[in-house]
Amino acid sequence: MQRASDLLFGVSMFAEPISIKIIDRTSSAMNELCNIGIRGKPLWHQHNSDRYESLNNIEYLKYSGCVDATLMDIVKLAEVGKLQALPSFDPYGNQINSMSNENSVRGLQIEASRDTTMVNAGPNGIVELLMNVNQWWMTFHNIVSRATILGSFMNGVEGSYDGRLHVMNAEFHLPSPVVPTRECCFARYCKQFSPNDWAVVDVSLEDLFPYPSNNFRKRPSGCLIKGMPNGGSKVTWVEHVEADHSQLNDLFKPLVTSGLAFGATRWLASLVRHFEWSETLKTTQFFTDGNAFIPQIGRTSFLKLADRMMRKFCANLSATTTNPWMRLAPFPGSTDVRVMIQNNMSGTSNNPVGTTIVFSTTIWLNISPNQLFNFLRHEKSRNKWDILSKSLSIQQFACMTIGEHLENRVSLLRASNSKDKTEIFYLQESYADETASYVIYAPLDESALIHLAKGSSPDNVIAFPSGFAIIPGGLPKDKGNNTSRNESLLTISFNLIDKASNITSIPPESVQTIYGIITETVTAIKDALSCHSRLNNWQTFATIVSITANKKKVQVLNGTNLKEWNENMEIILGCMGFNLALRMKQPPSPSESGSSEQRKYYEKWDRSNRMSHALICSEVNLASVPGNTR
């Protein structure tokens, strides 16, 4: 049922005084987005060693005309060090907000970031995705919990999106039920400036109506889209918001205040992933072992089921009010354990009558997100953390890569016992970008596997996803918000099904089962990674141990064992952190005027390339390589 506040919005927005204010505000917001979207220093500055940029709030106040002469004098005194008692003007702190009485009362803090990337899609396709609320919500399912258009006017020029304006509400989340969601009502306005240049802007409208949520506001935010000669687009994304940080768990505060959690880079990464996935649906590239053949129509079915699982997994982890999370007492080392009961009284083909129980916790680990992701996603290490696979052998027998990075893939796994009898199959998707990593999976029986391989609809297959979400994080160092690159926040989520009952509370024996599964899994992961915490240097450990231990498992490439050799080399290079050169194209050599970040990245890539080259060559029998004369 539609909320009364949304109904009030939908009715009152068309009243003439309100509609004029909305149109004026979106027009001003579009002008601001186009201006700050293309400006450089001093308005924007590079955020530490990250790719994205942060907004200089003092410069923004100057730009927007909010700085009077007195404040400018204070700033100048601070710049020359003559005013020791001046409050901090940290771009993400409270002092900027205190300049506005309205912000001070609300207790909201500024988050502002900008990022740019190339997207393998034309401007029209990106604009349609942003202006169609269902496409937008499904594309950004890892950020948007729900979205609704409350009303539309200014339907665009000749039926196009140019000039179209929607009034919407939406709720945004991080992949953990520990983090409160953000909700706001905003106008979205689209404008075309030339055949290849578009802009889409969002701006909050809560002050025009009474609205139940007051913890989040969108200042002019959105993206500038420029079509490129190769058919792709250059997209610049600006995310400029005010948000309440008072309810944040301490573990998540550094990530959120840095601008990475809900910032421009995360939106762009999700946009890129969507078009990578769309291209994967069209491709015929599919890797299987010698006994598996899956036609193109079957591959499409597996991809669509994996996509449904990923969307369901992200929806389950949201702290949205429609998810009835219950908090259990935390155990040592966790933030807390949360449980959600979902009763389905009217079954469907993929969601039978009965009860599903989702339970989750988030833990901090002293390991980089990339290394943790590679450990959790790879079938060779699954029986080190999966309590149901301890005595089983896990084999990947088919996979489809998504995009350019080999570790981003949809995989079919087979779990076999000591007699080589298949116990169960798994469908798994693993995906990582700059802001988060996901490893999600669901068990499949043999009949479902055959059903999908023949190209039947995945809508008829039951698949309740469990898995992991990894985001960079850790407690702030010293008094700042800088966190170690070798720290991760791991959210674990499991999905249990009880087809025979519908319950409203969890019996004590089920609580013990939940704790048992969570604690055993957490302990297994920590034990498997314990060498890192003991040595406090994973790269040193990987160099000393992985080369000696894992290389023993790699048979020299002799022309007949390419698949197994490639898989084992991928494990070694991934665990050692030397797979950057395999995942990313070679960056240009930094010039003398290049930034320190460019030089550091080039040196990192170059070291990865040299180490990978040396390890690969050491495991190749050159005499077996056709045409080799060495």
Side-chain angles (χ1 to χ4, degrees):
M1 179 182 294
Q2 189 178 30
R3 295 184 307 184
S5 57
D6 295 342
L7 183 62
L8 176 62
F9 257 107
V11 172
S12 58
M13 61 179 281
F14 293 103
E16 185 170 313
I18 299 297
S19 64
I20 292 175
K21 289 181 180 179
I22 292 174
I23 293 172
D24 288 345
R25 179 168 297 183
T26 54
S27 179
S28 297
M30 178 64 75
N31 290 336
E32 178 172 319
L33 174 67
C34 292
N35 278 318
I36 69 174
I38 61 174
R39 290 192 175 213
K41 294 180 179 180
L43 185 64
W44 295 97
H45 60 89
Q46 204 75 26
H47 183 270
N48 298 330
S49 59
D50 296 299
R51 189 184 75 185
Y52 68 95
E53 299 168 290
S54 298
L55 186 69
N56 183 319
N57 279 309
I58 296 296
E59 293 297 327
Y60 176 76
L61 291 174
K62 294 178 186 177
Y63 158 79
S64 58
C66 297
V67 180
D68 59 20
T70 302
L71 182 56
M72 280 304 303
D73 288 340
I74 295 174
V75 172
K76 289 177 181 177
L77 286 172
E79 288 174 347
V80 298
K82 293 185 177 180
L83 189 59
Q84 301 300 322
L86 184 71
S88 168
F89 286 100
D90 178 1
Y92 298 105
N94 292 313
Q95 301 302 332
I96 292 296
N97 293 335
S98 66
M99 297 176 190
S100 164
N101 289 333
E102 181 184 6
N103 279 359
S104 180
V105 172
R106 293 200 305 251
L108 303 184
Q109 298 184 4
I110 303 289
E111 298 170 23
S113 60
R114 181 177 71 174
D115 201 357
T116 300
T117 195
M118 301 300 299
V119 177
N120 189 23
N124 291 335
I126 298 173
V127 167
E128 181 177 2
L129 183 151
L130 295 172
M131 297 303 293
N132 182 311
V133 68
N134 290 326
Q135 287 191 47
W136 178 67
W137 169 71
M138 292 184 70
T139 297
F140 299 100
H141 57 263
N142 60 327
I143 305 174
V144 182
S145 300
R146 57 181 176 81
T148 307
I149 290 181
L150 303 177
S152 300
F153 46 93
M154 293 175 61
N155 287 325
V157 178
E158 298 179 353
S160 74
Y161 289 110
D162 178 25
R164 188 169 300 188
L165 192 155
H166 295 319
V167 174
M168 309 169 60
N169 74 355
E171 189 176 30
F172 310 99
H173 71 273
L174 272 178
S176 174
V178 175
V179 182
T181 58
R182 302 172 166 193
E183 182 181 356
C184 74
C185 176
F186 58 95
R188 173 166 292 177
Y189 176 46
C190 179
K191 188 173 182 179
Q192 184 178 21
F193 295 94
S194 74
N196 289 318
D197 292 280
W198 292 77
V200 179
V201 69
D202 296 341
V203 63
S204 276
L205 301 174
E206 282 89 350
D207 60 319
L208 300 181
F209 308 90
Y211 197 71
S213 174
N214 61 358
N215 71 341
F216 182 65
R217 299 287 186 271
K218 269 184 174 284
R219 292 187 177 187
S221 304
C223 59
L224 307 178
I225 307 164
K226 184 175 185 60
M228 306 303 289
N230 65 357
S233 300
K234 178 182 178 182
V235 181
T236 298
W237 199 291
V238 174
E239 197 66 17
H240 191 187
V241 303
E242 305 168 35
D244 179 12
H245 295 171
S246 64
Q247 302 302 311
L248 281 176
N249 182 285
D250 286 342
L251 284 175
F252 290 90
K253 280 185 179 179
L255 181 72
V256 173
T257 57
S258 72
L260 188 62
F262 292 95
T265 301
R266 189 166 175 230
W267 287 96
L268 281 179
S270 299
L271 184 67
V272 169
R273 180 192 180 277
H274 169 78
F275 287 108
E276 286 181 342
W277 185 85
S278 299
E279 286 299 313
T280 305
L281 283 177
K282 305 173 187 176
T283 187
T284 58
Q285 186 179 34
F286 193 68
F287 303 100
T288 67
D289 64 17
N291 299 319
F293 173 75
I294 302 176
Q296 179 65 34
I297 190 171
R299 302 165 201 172
T300 300
S301 294
F302 283 115
L303 283 169
K304 288 184 176 179
L305 178 57
D307 183 61
R308 191 186 90 200
M309 288 163 48
M310 181 67 80
R311 284 187 281 109
K312 180 63 175 176
F313 179 80
C314 292
N316 282 345
L317 285 185
S318 170
T320 177
T321 53
T322 56
N323 280 350
W325 286 105
M326 296 179 289
R327 184 173 183 176
L328 302 181
F331 64 87
S334 75
T335 49
D336 56 28
V337 179
R338 306 213 174 186
V339 180
M340 175 170 57
I341 300 172
Q342 298 173 324
N343 290 313
N344 184 25
M345 305 301 293
S346 55
T348 63
S349 57
N350 60 40
N351 191 11
V353 172
T355 298
T356 60
I357 300 176
V358 182
F359 51 101
S360 174
T361 192
T362 299
I363 61 172
W364 172 88
L365 292 170
N366 191 23
I367 185 173
S368 75
N370 182 57
Q371 291 161 348
L372 181 58
F373 170 69
N374 280 321
F375 168 75
L376 293 172
R377 75 171 180 85
H378 209 285
E379 70 275 10
K380 299 293 184 182
S381 56
R382 186 182 182 99
N383 53 18
K384 292 181 174 62
W385 58 261
D386 185 356
I387 59 177
L388 299 179
S389 302
K390 289 290 186 182
S391 59
L392 300 178
S393 172
I394 311 297
Q395 178 191 8
Q396 174 187 271
F397 65 93
C399 73
M400 295 152 278
T401 57
I402 301 173
E404 297 180 354
H405 299 169
L406 293 177
E407 64 268 31
N408 294 343
R409 59 177 62 180
V410 172
S411 304
L412 291 172
L413 307 178
R414 178 191 296 115
S416 305
N417 60 24
S418 58
K419 297 180 180 180
D420 202 29
K421 179 183 177 181
T422 300
E423 296 285 343
I424 196 168
F425 296 97
Y426 290 102
L427 179 64
Q428 174 179 292
E429 179 170 359
S430 55
Y431 194 89
D433 58 44
E434 300 95 325
T435 63
S437 311
Y438 301 88
V439 179
I440 61 104
Y441 61 91
L444 296 177
D445 57 31
E446 189 171 1
S447 61
L449 194 72
I450 295 172
H451 175 87
L452 291 166
K454 291 180 178 179
S456 299
S457 173
D459 294 338
N460 298 322
V461 175
I462 299 172
F464 291 95
S466 299
F468 308 94
I470 306 164
I471 57 177
L475 294 174
K477 308 302 179 186
D478 301 322
K479 296 182 179 180
N481 284 332
N482 297 321
T483 59
S484 171
R485 295 284 176 179
N486 292 320
E487 299 178 14
S488 302
L489 294 174
L490 173 65
T491 297
I492 305 168
S493 176
F494 292 110
N495 208 321
L496 299 181
I497 308 169
D498 185 352
K499 297 181 181 179
S501 64
N502 286 281
I503 60 176
T504 57
S505 61
I506 303 176
E509 60 272 18
S510 295
V511 172
Q512 294 300 318
T513 300
I514 288 170
Y515 271 123
I517 295 173
I518 285 285
T519 53
E520 282 191 53
T521 303
V522 169
T523 300
I525 292 172
K526 288 184 175 181
D527 286 347
L529 302 172
S530 61
C531 289
H532 167 61
S533 60
R534 287 199 300 267
L535 296 177
N536 199 29
N537 189 326
W538 177 266
Q539 287 187 342
T540 300
F541 166 72
T543 302
I544 297 172
V545 178
S546 289
I547 291 179
T548 56
N550 289 318
K551 279 184 65 177
K552 293 178 181 178
K553 302 177 183 179
V554 181
Q555 295 182 354
V556 173
L557 179 64
N558 55 26
T560 63
N561 60 344
L562 175 61
K563 183 176 182 297
E564 182 181 359
W565 179 88
N566 185 72
E567 289 179 350
N568 287 327
M569 285 304 300
E570 184 183 334
I571 298 172
I572 294 174
L573 295 173
C575 289
M576 294 172 62
F578 292 150
N579 62 345
L580 178 64
L582 303 182
R583 297 185 294 107
M584 306 297 291
K585 295 179 180 179
Q586 180 177 0
S589 299
S591 62
E592 292 184 1
S593 59
S595 66
S596 60
E597 289 78 14
Q598 290 173 324
R599 287 192 294 273
K600 288 178 182 178
Y601 181 75
Y602 181 83
E603 290 169 359
K604 182 178 179 181
W605 187 95
D606 182 63
R607 181 172 184 269
S608 168
N609 186 56
R610 287 185 286 105
M611 294 299 296
S612 297
H613 186 275
L615 286 169
I616 290 171
C617 289
S618 70
E619 297 300 325
V620 175
N621 180 2
L622 295 177
S624 68
V625 179
N628 178 65
T629 59
R630 296 174 57 189

